[in-house]
Amino acid sequence: MQEQTDPPDEPSPGLVSTAIQAITQHIRSEGLAPGDPLPSEAAMTRQLNVSRTVVREAFRSLSAMRLIDMSAGRRATVAKLDTGAMSMVIEHGITTQQISVQQVYDVRRTIEMRTVALAALRRTDQEAAAIGQSARLMRENFSNPEAVMEHDIAFHEAIAAASHNPVFSLIVTAFSGVTRRTWVIGWRTRSSDEAQLKMIKGHEDIADAILKGDPRLAAEHMAEHFDKSVKALLDAGIA
Amino acid sequence: MQEQTDPPDEPSPGLVSTAIQAITQHIRSEGLAPGDPLPSEAAMTRQLNVSRTVVREAFRSLSAMRLIDMSAGRRATVAKLDTGAMSMVIEHGITTQQISVQQVYDVRRTIEMRTVALAALRRTDQEAAAIGQSARLMRENFSNPEAVMEHDIAFHEAIAAASHNPVFSLIVTAFSGVTRRTWVIGWRTRSSDEAQLKMIKGHEDIADAILKGDPRLAAEHMAEHFDKSVKALLDAGIA
DNA sequence: GACAATAACCTGTCATACAGGCTTTTTTCG
DNA sequence: CGAAAAAAGCCTGTATGACAGGTTATTGTC
């Protein structure tokens, strides 16, 4: 058996938590869709019989998680799926050293081996074009590492989008922040222009395999890409 | 040497967002670890030159994401990695029909094919025991579906933990909420006791493979398990 | 030196106030 | 009559002050 940290009784989870639950419950029970408006703060205040402070902190919390959208003067609305909260959790794990960059890469590899295969099977022509475009822009901006990185990130997100499973997109996008903070290290480790161009070639190979609709080949190239990336990070001493 | 009150031009992402960033920035720059205390609200109020309302909403937002822990009378502290925020994002996606249960299962399958293999390679004896224990408890509570479900969930989370990669644990645990809301449907679809026992046997096979340290076999059983689970959900008409 | 009383600080919640953004209604003018 | 402009009304963003109750540090006593 395992040790539980929660005491057996939790009488008051706090008014704010209660309010948060009431709001999410409202979304569920009313079957609200993205864009639909939520009750005003005043209405919630009356319904829950608490102060506006409490209701406001609840709304603000949901807004911070990007579950709802708030803006001045208008009512809050149900938000489209967004990676905001996940990104913050991952970043928090990294900055407090509870997870390592290498662990993130291991998860990315696992997921992207799947997204790339799905993309090869399910991509539309437009999505294939977007993926190819990102790879092409990496080469064209070769002399500008920052630009290469952004197109690299866009490349991976485009593949996730082409998997037609928004959960994959969510996760892959959540990792982009970590990538932004470590990408340059991997790039510098590829000391020669030749090594750097080879890395870009790897992306083009993946794009081609997706365009051809060959999931096995796409996954093979993706595996190779990740193995090299992780090796680059390890060479640079990233734990 | 630094911050004056009003930067001349900022499209104003809002004072609260600014405060949130200031707090996370503080965690980063001070290199805080889980359990370390953050500045008091009053201190933050002075430092950012905003009202306590703003600072409070920022703290509360971070608390809702489980990035910090708050409790009455004590200062907020840096939180241990927690799946709270991720769970809420996934649940939000499900309730607003932006993602389907089947899409979640596809992601789970992808991830757990990896965690089970890693668990077979890296599990400690204690972890192997915990995994086996969960499988055993599933069988022992056979007549109580709710209990079977909880041990099923614990089983998968234990495997993720045994992968020794907290990011996997984070994601697997984030999906547990969805499982709780759909598990019974799959269970009912297995109409006969025989079919239900076979499903439990599948878990025991996985546990055995992990105990034996055979990643390939473990992954094979896990694949089978997921294929049957997804089939059960599809038979029940889950989109 | 141990221990209890107390002071100081901190968070949780409430009430109120006001500036400014949106939306709807009313008014006015063509 | 119709359309544009003005006003009214609701809504959110932020600030301030107040007080209850929990937590920690200090002090004073034995």
Side-chain angles (χ1 to χ4, degrees):
Chain A
M1 102 151 135
Q2 54 203 10
E3 30 90 11
Q4 282 285 90
T5 45
D6 334 25
D9 74 300
E10 186 136 0
S12 168
L15 298 187
V16 176
S17 300
T18 306
I20 290 178
Q21 270 203 297
I23 297 168
T24 57
Q25 177 59 34
H26 176 89
I27 294 176
R28 178 176 338 237
S29 63
E30 298 289 307
L32 299 187
D36 290 349
L38 276 69
S40 73
E41 292 177 1
M44 265 302 173
T45 293
R46 281 190 301 274
Q47 183 190 322
L48 299 177
N49 201 34
V50 294
S51 73
R52 181 150 91 103
T53 306
V54 171
V55 172
R56 235 191 114 60
E57 287 183 12
F59 271 91
R60 181 67 77 175
S61 294
L62 291 171
S63 169
M65 286 186 272
R66 308 288 192 102
L67 266 42
I68 66 177
D69 290 323
M70 297 174 74
S71 69
R74 278 191 314 225
R75 288 211 198 149
T77 59
V78 176
K80 280 196 312 188
L81 216 45
D82 184 285
T83 202
M86 277 199 193
S87 303
M88 294 205 66
V89 172
I90 299 295
E91 298 247 341
H92 180 255
I94 295 274
T95 65
T96 58
Q97 303 193 337
Q98 301 185 72
I99 58 184
S100 70
V101 172
Q102 202 192 335
Q103 285 169 332
V104 169
Y105 267 77
D106 194 1
V107 176
R108 275 192 63 193
R109 185 194 151 114
T110 301
I111 289 175
E112 298 210 29
M113 290 287 289
R114 176 76 172 154
T115 56
V116 77
L118 288 176
L121 293 170
R122 321 214 268 223
R123 96 280 185 293
T124 64
D125 289 347
Q126 194 181 342
E127 286 162 348
I131 294 166
Q133 172 82 345
S134 287
R136 201 170 315 115
L137 286 171
M138 285 178 73
R139 183 178 291 278
E140 284 175 16
N141 288 274
F142 175 70
S143 57
N144 179 359
E146 184 112 350
V148 176
M149 176 182 79
E150 287 304 329
H151 291 302
D152 188 355
I153 290 172
F155 176 85
H156 289 276
E157 291 183 1
I159 289 173
S163 77
H164 294 188
N165 184 332
V167 186
F168 281 124
S169 282
L170 216 51
I171 297 175
V172 167
T173 307
F175 289 148
S176 295
V178 177
T179 303
R180 281 201 182 80
R181 283 214 249 142
T182 57
W183 189 91
V184 178
I185 297 168
W187 183 253
R188 290 219 193 95
T189 306
R190 296 174 171 92
S191 47
S192 65
D193 278 15
E194 188 192 358
Q196 292 172 345
L197 281 170
K198 199 184 284 181
M199 177 267 214
I200 289 178
K201 176 71 161 52
H203 284 77
E204 290 164 343
D205 290 341
I206 294 170
D208 286 345
I210 291 173
L211 183 62
K212 277 194 281 189
D214 185 338
R216 190 148 338 189
L217 183 62
E220 218 166 90
H221 285 306
M222 183 63 87
E224 198 178 336
H225 170 45
F226 265 100
D227 290 344
K228 283 184 182 163
S229 292
V230 169
K231 182 171 183 307
L233 285 175
L234 287 178
D235 286 348
I238 298 289
Chain B
M1 70 214 238
Q2 56 176 17
E3 74 273 337
Q4 261 322 3
T5 51
D6 299 310
D9 67 313
E10 181 158 347
S12 179
L15 297 187
V16 176
S17 299
T18 307
I20 289 178
Q21 271 204 296
I23 297 168
T24 56
Q25 176 59 34
H26 176 89
I27 294 175
R28 178 176 337 234
S29 65
E30 298 289 308
L32 299 187
D36 289 350
L38 277 66
S40 73
E41 294 176 0
M44 267 298 175
T45 293
R46 282 190 300 274
Q47 183 189 324
L48 300 177
N49 200 34
V50 294
S51 75
R52 181 153 89 105
T53 307
V54 170
V55 172
R56 238 193 110 60
E57 287 183 13
F59 271 92
R60 181 67 76 174
S61 294
L62 291 171
S63 169
M65 285 187 274
R66 309 288 193 101
L67 266 42
I68 67 176
D69 290 323
M70 296 173 75
S71 70
R74 277 191 315 225
R75 288 209 196 154
T77 59
V78 176
K80 279 197 313 187
L81 216 44
D82 183 286
T83 201
M86 277 199 192
S87 303
M88 295 207 67
V89 172
I90 299 294
E91 298 246 343
H92 180 254
I94 295 273
T95 66
T96 58
Q97 304 193 339
Q98 299 185 73
I99 59 185
S100 70
V101 173
Q102 203 193 334
Q103 285 169 333
V104 170
Y105 266 76
D106 194 2
V107 175
R108 274 193 61 193
R109 184 195 151 112
T110 301
I111 289 175
E112 299 209 30
M113 290 286 290
R114 176 75 173 157
T115 56
V116 78
L118 288 176
L121 293 170
R122 321 212 267 224
R123 97 277 186 296
T124 64
D125 289 347
Q126 193 181 345
E127 286 161 347
I131 294 166
Q133 172 82 343
S134 288
R136 201 170 315 115
L137 286 171
M138 284 178 73
R139 182 177 292 276
E140 285 175 15
N141 289 274
F142 176 69
S143 57
N144 179 0
E146 185 113 351
V148 177
M149 176 182 79
E150 286 304 329
H151 291 302
D152 188 354
I153 290 171
F155 176 85
H156 288 277
E157 289 182 2
I159 290 173
S163 78
H164 294 188
N165 184 333
V167 187
F168 282 123
S169 283
L170 216 53
I171 297 174
V172 168
T173 305
F175 290 146
S176 296
V178 177
T179 303
R180 280 199 182 82
R181 282 214 249 141
T182 58
W183 189 92
V184 177
I185 296 168
W187 183 254
R188 291 219 193 94
T189 306
R190 297 175 170 91
S191 46
S192 66
D193 278 14
E194 187 193 358
Q196 291 172 346
L197 280 170
K198 198 184 284 181
M199 178 268 214
I200 289 177
K201 175 71 161 50
H203 283 78
E204 291 165 343
D205 289 341
I206 294 170
D208 286 345
I210 292 173
L211 183 62
K212 277 194 281 190
D214 184 338
R216 191 149 339 190
L217 183 62
E220 222 165 85
H221 286 306
M222 183 63 87
E224 199 179 334
H225 170 46
F226 265 101
D227 290 344
K228 284 183 181 164
S229 293
V230 169
K231 183 171 181 309
L233 285 173
L234 288 178
D235 286 350
I238 298 288

